[in-house]
Amino acid sequence: MNRRKDEMEKNGPWHYAAHTQEDLPTLRSETWRAMEDAMKEGKVKAIGVSNFSIAHLERLKQTATVWPPAVNQIECHPLYPQKELLEYCAKEGIVVQAYASLGGQDAGKSFWKKVFPPAKGDKAPSRLLNTPPVEALASEVDKTPAQVLLRWALEKNLAIVPKSSSEKRMAENAEVFDFKLSGEQIETLENELSEAVSKAARDEGEDVKGMARLCWRSDPLRLLDFD
């Protein structure tokens, strides 16, 4: 959906939303109750949520009769690792399914040029896949950047749903079970990406978390930081 920046600046980030911020907790609770009924009636085997923050899950837990949700589908990759949310879901027994494991497609060249400014004569990365930290680790373990990002997700016990229309890429994405990433390699990858995006956020006067989230780049509510 196209959103006019001037309209959102004038009327606030909820200008294009279908519901008010105040309505959402009740709507989530009522929707979950209907899903619980479907499960109890045998119409579905499991029910889950998508893009729920810790605050959303805690609020839902207060009224839920079926707990925990089978899955919480969220954006998650080394640039946006969502560590606290992963820890919470693990504690509650919620499977996390990561989308945009390879970085998604919403961040354009101008974004990556800010995060990884190229040296004179070089090209800036165009995707998370070809950022220097990801490429360096791929070279170290003799795998492709995509395989490294998918293996990172598996090391975090995430369910992954990589998308591709290429048979070659599909086969490549499946070849992630014959190697592992060490804790040190994972920490180095996350730290190098975090340092780069943090510096870019400071330079641009943006929020680090907001800059690290690669999906929904034009949506002012993409951080889901509301009740």
Side-chain angles (χ1 to χ4, degrees), residues 18-20 22-33:
H19 303 285
T20 66
E22 292 74 23
D23 291 337
L24 290 182
T26 298
L27 286 169
R28 286 194 298 266
S29 178
E30 291 175 349
T31 301
W32 186 253
R33 182 56 53 84

Side-chain angles (χ1 to χ4, degrees), residues 13-14 51-56 75 80 82 85 99 206-227:
W14 291 85
N51 293 315
F52 269 44
S53 67
I54 294 175
H56 297 157
E75 178 183 347
Y80 192 59
Q82 302 229 59
L85 181 52
Y99 63 79
E206 295 188 27
D207 173 73
V208 175
K209 185 178 179 181
M211 197 162 194
R213 178 151 205 198
L214 299 181
C215 296
W216 306 353
R217 296 297 302 172
S218 63
D219 193 326
L221 301 177
R222 70 182 185 280
L223 294 184
L224 308 172
D225 51 356
F226 47 80
D227 289 336

